[in-house]
Amino acid sequence: MFVDRARITIKSGKGGDGAVTFRRDPFVPEGGPDGGDGGRGGDIVFVADRNLRTLMDFRYQRKYQAENGQNGMKKNRFGKAGEDLIIKVPMGTVVIDEETGHIMKDLTEDGQRFIAAKGGRGGRGNVHFKNSVRQAPNFAEAGGVAKERNVILEMKLIADVGLVGFPNVGKSSLLSIATSAQPKIANYHFTTIDPNLGVVKIFDDSFVMADIAGIIEGASEGLGLGFRFLRHIERSKVLIHVVDVSGCEGRDPKDDFDKINKELEAYSPRILKKPQIVAANKIDQLDNLEEDEAYIEFKEYVEGKGYKVFPMSAPLDIGVKEVLGAALLELQKIEANPQEEDDGYEYFDFEADEKDPNYKEVYVGYNEEDDVYTIEGKQLSKIFRSTNFNDMGSLRYLYKYIEGKGAIEQLKELGLEEGDYIRIEDYDMEYWDE
């Protein structure tokens, strides 16, 4: 089964906590703090692998978590860093952050990799908190939190040339004649339900060609096979538009040509900017090509729009070489004059995600249901998790941080009085004014 879209949850490793330990060596009076730092958490790393063809594996495993960092140890020993989790995906996979809808990375080359979720930093041991006043700090820093997010994996075929057109117009036949691919061929619609790839060898050169399964009217709105196949056209540099000019199914070739291009434009206007070669297929079913009024009318209509028309009969290998040669010529023009263009997508801002400007902010509130005042904040949570509630020095450090952020004054404005409770995370503390 060809699976080209999946949703998974990724979670990096939590950083190890710093250690709270003291020297206990013989004959060494008043041994000082010697708690080591925690190890960093493992990263989530995506890697493109040319040996993978679909996203099938992600249908059965939806959650991926890297290893946590080890806690720090006595004698200033650092905790072991967590192992990174490597997630291999097929070449052509786009990783999208589900919350923002922005693209995190487009993995188009074998071995290409990127970090989708960084592991938490290791917490500092109590040796870092010793100073002239605090000789025996009985607390350490908690490790950084793990980063968890949902991501969408979308696979888009990497092909030089894409075959487009209505179902049953001969795209699979053209692919089978032009390459060693063996797509399923039959005389009914949607014979091809999975995209097929093949390598075309012509004029001492070669290119990759993809048979994009049949598009129907309304595909850009999700009808039929919809977006599932339209996305695979985006990477193609050149399009071969296959049209059944025999009219054997009672359709007008001109109408077919316009409808397919309308769907392509509705999905992405950039697609119609690609070079497009029109293959007028099934000419073997016409009595006389040069005198057939329907074919002549179709040719004049399409060439009037600026496209070249090539008569062809794929099963009989008539005109196939001319169509492929025209595609190769367009590819060579593109490679000779490569142009950078804006793909129109929004990309994930890793710098903003890493810096998090709200990290040091503290927010206060009142929970009417539990009759408790609340204080929240990312840096506050880290300090709170580092607090030793059996040590007055550690508690004083936490209180000074909260007071320094103006949280106590803000709570008093909300009505905080002595004897009321303040909640930080899942811990409730009774407030008394000193």
Side-chain angles (χ1 to χ4, degrees):
M1 180 184 292
F2 184 84
V3 179
D4 55 4
R5 196 173 194 274
R7 175 187 181 276
I8 62 173
T9 299
I10 58 174
K11 186 176 182 180
S12 63
K14 173 188 174 299
D17 297 334
V20 181
T21 60
F22 298 89
R23 292 177 60 189
R24 293 292 185 267
D25 297 335
F27 313 112
V28 181
E30 299 180 0
D34 67 351
D37 298 348
R40 68 164 184 83
D43 300 332
I44 297 289
V45 184
F46 283 95
V47 179
D49 188 339
R50 67 186 306 168
N51 297 313
L52 298 177
R53 293 289 179 267
T54 77
L55 299 172
M56 173 66 78
D57 291 345
F58 300 101
R59 278 204 167 187
Y60 304 105
Q61 183 177 348
R62 300 293 181 91
K63 294 185 178 181
Y64 296 81
Q65 182 170 356
E67 186 179 27
N68 292 333
Q70 186 181 18
N71 292 338
M73 295 169 282
K74 61 183 179 181
K75 296 185 179 179
N76 289 314
R77 288 180 296 170
F78 286 13
K80 178 179 174 290
E83 290 286 340
D84 295 341
L85 179 61
I86 306 297
I87 303 177
K88 293 184 178 181
V89 295
M91 290 170 55
T93 299
V94 181
V95 183
I96 304 169
D97 176 59
E98 185 182 54
E99 183 179 358
T100 63
H102 295 170
I103 292 177
M104 302 180 75
K105 194 69 175 181
D106 190 356
L107 299 163
T108 58
E109 300 177 6
D110 185 39
Q112 189 177 2
R113 57 193 288 149
F114 90 104
I115 298 173
K118 284 190 175 181
R121 293 178 57 184
R124 294 176 294 171
N126 66 336
V127 69
H128 293 280
F129 297 94
K130 177 184 176 181
N131 56 35
S132 58
V133 176
R134 190 190 304 115
Q135 293 292 311
N138 201 22
F139 62 94
E141 186 178 45
V145 297
K147 193 174 290 287
E148 181 176 2
R149 56 169 52 103
N150 295 323
V151 297
I152 304 295
L153 304 179
E154 279 192 356
M155 182 182 167
K156 299 179 181 179
L157 293 182
I158 300 177
D160 299 307
V161 176
L163 300 176
V164 299
F166 268 93
N168 206 31
V169 295
K171 298 188 301 298
S172 296
S173 297
L174 176 56
L175 184 70
S176 66
I177 292 294
T179 74
S180 59
Q182 297 180 337
K184 183 178 179 181
I185 299 173
N187 189 29
Y188 56 84
H189 287 188
F190 296 112
T191 309
T192 304
I193 58 174
D194 293 329
N196 293 302
L197 284 173
V199 178
V200 176
K201 296 181 180 179
I202 183 173
F203 304 137
D204 297 324
D205 209 332
S206 65
F207 58 84
V208 178
M209 187 162 70
D211 172 15
I212 310 300
I215 303 169
I216 66 171
E217 190 174 10
S220 61
E221 299 174 357
L223 297 181
L225 299 175
F227 302 122
R228 179 181 172 191
F229 291 143
L230 282 169
R231 73 167 68 97
H232 293 296
I233 303 173
E234 292 185 78
R235 295 194 195 278
S236 300
K237 299 173 185 175
V238 177
L239 302 180
I240 296 179
H241 190 158
V242 183
V243 181
D244 176 3
V245 294
S246 70
C248 63
E249 295 195 2
R251 296 199 308 263
D252 180 359
K254 301 192 301 297
D255 192 39
D256 283 2
F257 175 79
D258 286 338
K259 284 179 178 177
I260 291 296
N261 278 343
K262 181 180 177 182
E263 293 304 322
L264 296 179
E265 184 177 28
Y267 177 74
S268 173
R270 293 174 53 249
I271 293 179
L272 279 192
K273 295 180 181 179
K274 300 175 185 290
Q276 185 176 145
I277 296 160
V278 180
N281 195 30
K282 301 187 181 182
I283 60 170
D284 55 298
Q285 298 186 33
L286 303 179
D287 292 333
N288 189 321
L289 180 65
E290 296 181 357
E291 296 180 2
D292 190 276
E293 292 184 4
Y295 171 74
I296 294 172
E297 186 180 340
F298 171 78
K299 188 173 189 290
E300 291 177 349
Y301 177 77
V302 173
E303 290 186 344
K305 291 178 175 289
Y307 299 101
K308 291 183 180 180
V309 177
F310 294 82
M312 181 184 76
S313 174
L316 300 180
D317 198 6
I318 298 173
V320 171
K321 189 173 183 180
E322 287 73 15
V323 170
L324 299 178
L328 177 61
L329 181 61
E330 293 296 339
L331 282 173
Q332 291 172 341
K333 289 179 182 178
I334 293 172
E335 292 169 358
N337 299 287
Q339 294 182 346
E340 290 288 336
E341 60 175 324
D342 182 10
D343 57 18
Y345 295 118
E346 291 188 81
Y347 285 85
F348 189 79
D349 191 341
F350 281 96
E351 187 175 346
D353 181 64
E354 191 66 28
K355 287 185 176 179
D356 192 354
N358 298 320
Y359 178 74
K360 295 184 178 181
E361 294 295 323
V362 171
Y363 306 94
V364 302
Y366 175 67
N367 186 323
E368 293 185 7
E369 183 177 350
D370 296 337
D371 189 25
V372 64
Y373 292 88
T374 60
I375 309 178
E376 298 176 348
K378 292 184 178 180
Q379 188 179 41
L380 169 64
S381 292
K382 186 173 182 179
I383 294 173
F384 182 79
R385 287 184 290 110
S386 304
T387 301
N388 180 349
F389 290 92
N390 295 317
D391 180 77
M392 287 305 299
S394 182
L395 284 170
R396 193 176 295 111
Y397 183 85
L398 171 65
Y399 182 80
K400 284 186 176 180
Y401 175 82
I402 294 173
E403 189 177 42
K405 288 293 183 179
I408 299 300
E409 291 301 320
Q410 293 179 52
L411 288 176
K412 286 181 178 180
E413 292 177 4
L414 292 177
L416 176 69
E417 298 178 350
E418 288 191 356
D420 289 338
Y421 283 89
I422 299 175
R423 176 175 296 169
I424 302 177
E425 295 196 350
D426 57 353
Y427 192 91
D428 292 351
M429 298 174 290
E430 191 173 4
Y431 172 71
W432 293 99
D433 199 356
E434 294 182 348

